Structure formats: C-alpha cells, structure tokens
Amino acid sequence: MRGGGLLVAGTTSDAGKSVVTAGICRWLVRQGVKVAPFKGQNMSLNSFVTREGAEIGRAQAMQAQAARVEPTALMNPVLLKPGSDRSSQVVLMGKPVGELSARGYHGGRQKELFEPVLACLEELRATHDAVICEGAGSPAEINLRRTDIVNMGIARAARLPVVVVGDIDRGGVFAQFFGTTALLAPEDQELVAGYLVNKFRGDVTLLEPGLDMLYDLTGRRTFGVLPYAHGLGIDEEDGLRVSLRGAVRESVVAPPVGADVLRVAVCAVPLMSNFTDVDALAAEPGVVVRFVDRPEELADADLVVVPGTRGTVKALAWLRERGLADALVRRASEGRPILGICGGFQALGEHIDDEVESRAGAVAGLGLLPVRVRFAPEKTLARPVGEALGERVEGYEIHHGVADVRGGEAFLDGCRVGAVWGTHWHGSLESDGFRRAFLREVAAAAGRAFVPAPDTSFGALREEQLDRLGDLIEEHADTDALLRLIEKGAPVGLPFVPPGAP
C-alpha cells in the first residue's frame, strides 16, 4: 500500500472525529502500516510546537503520537486561533500570517489556501502507506461548501473515501447521518462510503434494525458501533470536554499515596489555551483538578493555576470583574501556592505593554511577580529543555509576550516568589520527576500530607489511552472494510440521496 487515504468526517463538531482518527492511526500502525494524520484546517486554542518550530493543533500532535510518527506542519497546514467571536489568528505551515475576521477568511483567503493544503496532503501520501484525514465540524455546512478546504473540498480533490462519525449519545444520530448525506452534492455523495456510530451505550442488537433502515434509505453501510468509553483524556480542540465545574478526569484513578488529597483549581479564563497543561496533574493519584470561575472556589484549593490564554489583557479584566484577582492577591500574601502558565504568567506580572494582541497599550498586571511583559509582533515558538527543582524539564512555548524578569528565584524561563510560580513553558508538568518535585513543594506550602506516587508516568498513561482507541477500532469496527476503503477508495455506484446540495 502506498498513498492510501480516508477522510473521517462528522455529523457535528465533537462527534468524535479526533479520537476516531487517532484510533484508526493506532490500529493501522499496529498492523505495520506507515500512517500519518492530517487535518487541512483546524480551529483550536490548544496547539503544540513541532521540533522544527511549527505550531499545529494539539489534536494532530496526539494523532501523530498514535501513528508513532513525529508531528510536522504538513499534518495541520492551517490553524485558526480565535481571538474573539468574529476573528482568528491564521497560522499557515506553523507560522502566524495575520488576523482575519470570519467574513474575510471565508470571503477569499480560505480559497487561496486550498492549493497549499492539498500539496501538504499529497506530500504525506507520497511518503506514507496511508493518511487518515480529519474533517471539521460537518461536511453539510452548505453555507461554507464553496470555500471548503477541510471536508468534501479536500475529499473530492484528493479522491478520498469518507466515513461519517455520529455521536449517538446526543440523540438523533440516524437523522444526522441521513441529513448529512442528503445535503451533499452528487459529486460529494459519491465519496461518502458510510457511517460510524460513536459513544453507544447498551445492547447493540437493539440498534441493528435502525442501521438496516439507514442502509435502505441511503445505500450506505455502517462500519462499526463504538461503545461509550469513559476517561480517555485525549487532547481536544473545540473546547473544554467538561463543564467549568466538572472534574478534568472522568475515570477513577488510584487512591492517594499519602494521607491527603491535593486540590487544584484552574481559573477558566476567556480564550483559555492549552488547558491540557493540567492533564498531567489530574493523572496523579490523589490530585483533584477542577475548572473554576468564582473566588469562593479558590478557598479550599491547595494550588491555583492561571492557565494560558489567547487574550492576556482580556483574561486580566475577567479576573478583576469576577473578584478572582483579589482572591489571588490574598492567596499570594498568605503564602498559598499559585502557578501561572504562559498568559497566566504574564497576568501575574507587574506590567503589560500590548500593542499586538489586544492593542490595549499599557495595562497593570496583578503584581505578584517582578515581571514586565512587552508583546512583540513575532511569535515565540520553541521546544525548550531545562532544569527546575533539581529535575530535567521539557516544554514548548507559544507566545507573543516577551518577559523581562526583574527579580525572584529563577524558574524555567520565568520566576518564583514565595509560593507563586510563573513560566511561559507549556507541557512542563508532563515531565514526571519535575511534576513530583513541584507537587511536593505545593503540598509543603499548603500544609497537606500529600505524597506524589513514585511511579506515575504520564507518557505511559498517554500510550495506554491511545492503545484503548486502537482497541475500540479493532474490536468494534469492520477493519477489513476500512482497510479496503483506505486502499481502493469509495465503492463505485453509491446511490444519490435527494435532495442534494441546494
């Protein structure tokens, strides 16, 4: 096999495209297939930096790990990072190229990006046995079809067979499958090979009559029914996978090693980016992580995290409006632990000069760290390696703010004053030795008899999660049929489902 491909589309956002794509990648690589993930255009505030210094969506980095290949900019050539409800920063081949309104992007710029996106896909297909592509939103967004570069636009240009994923847990999945197909043009419908049901609970035999009727209505088969799987903890792209008051992890982890648990409150700032930073904390036995948006919710927290954000000035205003800023200042004065990451680190400083992101000019920070931040037009994209608390640390940086650290104790590229830490490094808590050392410091400052587990490996846990995704595909999908699609394309003669695109 060389250059095979498949597009995993969805009836809606968050239907399960990302995890199904990752699961197929992991299943294929276990069969000895050299596979790569691909998403032509991604909208996400959760991003990652490749080894060549390119910014891509974290979901594609996760899928690359599932495929056991190094992530590159080819896998996500266009990344949109929302800055408001109506505009986004456009990242092309890993580098920011400007800020555009939704109208400006869909009005012309998106169409210009089609050829570069297609070229990236073809380069991956030339060097891999198979490329598993992820769509975005729904392929039946008929208002956007003319400029589509991520769903049926790329499928038709590259002659990719399409499998549509639907989330049955939300209800209405049969209508979604039928309606998605019926709203596509005949040329697009020719490529829609069938469906994949996601998040099913119960007896699958009760579902089978509906699947038979769906086949009678559309002439397309269902390639599998994937059961609801709790606690996968896989990187998301469209938003929080929990409510603001929900725990980060759904699964039950091992009990704490020490006498106490450690409670972590994450401030749910606007335009929160890379909230996956706290996943490594949540993976620790005895660490309870929650997102919060009220000052009262900080009262019993042993550690408060102010996470990254695409809008540092906006996040500062939100913290002040909510009363969280005053609560953070009180915590610092009482010697209670706070960790600021990237935009959160900038907010904890003394002063911000921003003529780039918010264009607000001079803005006062919370004054908890001796840091002054100036926003530069060029974005810092890096994969730093260093040492902190006597342990080796790896991370990645994605920020316009340049920090001038004027005191405190050195901490990664930031600083520490008392129990307040700040750094631009995302992903540092995934370094196991450093995470344990940091949690010991937090427990001591919080007066908790918490002891980090000596053997928690975040990397191993992530591999287990990816293997679970591969198992879901192997055990609950028709893998022989999927392999035929990847190798040979969509079946010839699939029937047209009226009315088609208007």
Side-chain angles (χ1 to χ4, degrees):
M1 185 198 316
R2 174 61 71 179
L6 176 71
L7 175 70
V8 178
T11 57
T12 63
S13 293
D14 204 30
K17 299 183 292 292
S18 295
V19 295
V20 167
T21 300
I24 294 175
C25 285
R26 177 50 59 101
W27 162 68
L28 282 171
V29 77
R30 293 195 306 209
Q31 311 309 307
V33 176
K34 185 180 180 183
V35 59
F38 177 81
K39 185 163 186 172
Q41 171 197 293
N42 194 348
M43 178 174 280
S44 178
L45 287 172
N46 280 338
S47 58
F48 182 76
V49 178
T50 67
R51 293 205 180 279
E52 71 266 29
E55 184 179 8
I56 66 172
R58 265 200 77 105
Q60 279 61 66
M62 174 270 292
Q63 291 160 357
Q65 186 177 350
R68 296 179 180 148
V69 293
E70 189 67 33
T72 73
L74 292 172
M75 297 172 184
N76 179 207
V78 179
L79 173 63
L80 305 178
K81 302 194 73 174
S84 70
D85 290 341
R86 296 190 176 187
S87 68
S88 294
Q89 183 182 67
V90 180
V91 179
L92 176 61
M93 292 303 294
K95 305 296 181 184
V97 294
E99 196 93 10
L100 279 179
S101 67
R103 181 180 294 275
Y105 182 69
H106 290 287
R109 186 61 192 273
Q110 187 179 36
K111 195 171 182 180
E112 296 173 12
L113 298 174
F114 182 78
E115 290 303 325
V117 166
L118 187 59
C120 289
L121 173 58
E122 292 308 319
E123 186 170 343
L124 287 174
R125 294 181 79 177
T127 54
H128 293 79
D129 299 330
V131 178
I132 308 303
C133 307
E134 179 187 344
S138 163
E141 291 167 351
I142 53 180
N143 57 313
L144 303 178
R145 177 61 184 89
R146 182 177 59 85
T147 55
D148 170 42
I149 64 172
V150 66
N151 289 307
M152 300 313 300
I154 200 76
R156 198 194 296 186
R159 302 308 298 170
L160 293 172
V162 179
V163 172
V164 181
V165 178
D167 180 356
I168 197 170
D169 196 52
R170 295 179 172 184
V173 75
F174 293 115
Q176 292 170 18
F177 284 145
F178 181 85
T180 297
T181 310
L183 279 177
L184 299 178
E187 297 84 357
D188 290 343
Q189 288 194 26
E190 288 176 3
L191 298 171
V192 177
Y195 314 109
L196 195 63
V197 176
N198 191 29
K199 296 185 182 178
F200 180 73
R201 306 173 193 248
D203 184 349
V204 72
T205 61
L206 299 177
L207 190 65
E208 288 171 353
L211 301 179
D212 292 339
M213 286 186 276
L214 182 66
Y215 178 81
D216 292 339
L217 287 166
T218 67
R220 289 160 174 83
R221 57 168 301 187
T222 299
F223 290 95
V225 178
L226 307 184
Y228 195 104
H230 290 276
L232 288 173
I234 294 297
D235 300 348
E236 302 285 344
E237 63 182 34
D238 293 325
L240 290 177
R241 62 178 173 274
V242 292
S243 69
L244 293 186
R245 306 215 198 298
V248 170
R249 289 177 65 89
E250 297 175 354
S251 58
V252 177
V253 295
V257 175
D260 284 347
V261 298
L262 209 62
R263 295 174 176 84
V264 179
V266 184
C267 296
V269 297
L271 299 174
M272 187 178 357
S273 61
N274 290 66
F275 57 80
T276 48
D277 281 331
V278 300
D279 280 354
L281 293 178
E284 283 284 348
V287 176
V288 181
V289 180
R290 299 180 68 84
F291 291 95
V292 302
D293 59 358
R294 293 196 298 249
E296 309 89 80
E297 296 173 294
L298 305 189
D300 68 344
D302 302 305
L303 169 67
V304 174
V305 177
V306 187
T309 171
R310 246 283 272 157
T312 301
V313 170
K314 183 180 289 188
L316 261 173
W318 182 87
L319 290 169
R320 289 182 166 119
E321 290 164 4
R322 293 271 176 157
L324 286 160
D326 290 339
L328 289 168
V329 171
R330 285 195 300 272
R331 280 188 71 89
S333 68
E334 295 164 0
R336 302 177 67 197
I338 300 170
L339 171 64
I341 302 175
C342 200
F345 164 45
Q346 297 166 5
L348 298 181
E350 298 171 345
H351 178 86
I352 293 171
D353 184 8
D354 181 11
E355 298 291 351
V356 176
E357 192 174 76
S358 68
R359 296 180 175 84
V363 178
L366 297 185
L368 304 185
L369 292 174
V371 177
R372 298 178 73 85
V373 176
R374 176 186 57 82
F375 275 69
E378 304 80 22
K379 182 184 284 191
T380 296
L381 297 169
R383 289 277 293 269
V385 177
E387 185 176 302
L389 305 180
E391 299 286 346
R392 185 176 186 273
V393 189
E394 295 185 30
Y396 57 99
E397 294 184 65
I398 306 169
H399 54 91
H400 283 279
V402 178
D404 177 12
V405 179
R406 300 186 172 189
E409 179 184 341
F411 177 70
L412 302 178
D413 72 335
C415 65
R416 170 187 182 179
V417 174
V420 181
W421 293 266
T423 177
H424 271 134
W425 291 22
H426 294 290
S428 63
L429 294 167
E430 296 179 19
S431 297
D432 297 325
F434 166 71
R435 183 180 64 254
R436 286 191 278 270
F438 177 71
L439 290 175
R440 283 192 288 269
E441 293 256 353
V442 168
R448 294 286 187 188
F450 170 85
V451 179
D455 56 356
T456 301
S457 167
F458 185 75
L461 288 172
R462 175 50 55 89
E463 279 296 304
E464 289 174 14
Q465 292 166 336
L466 294 172
D467 275 331
R468 286 181 64 197
L469 293 181
D471 293 343
L472 283 174
I473 297 299
E474 186 169 345
E475 296 168 10
H476 300 282
D478 187 339
T479 51
D480 288 340
L482 288 176
L483 199 56
R484 283 195 298 273
L485 284 180
I486 292 167
E487 290 179 331
K488 299 180 180 179
V492 176
L494 289 168
F496 172 68
V497 180

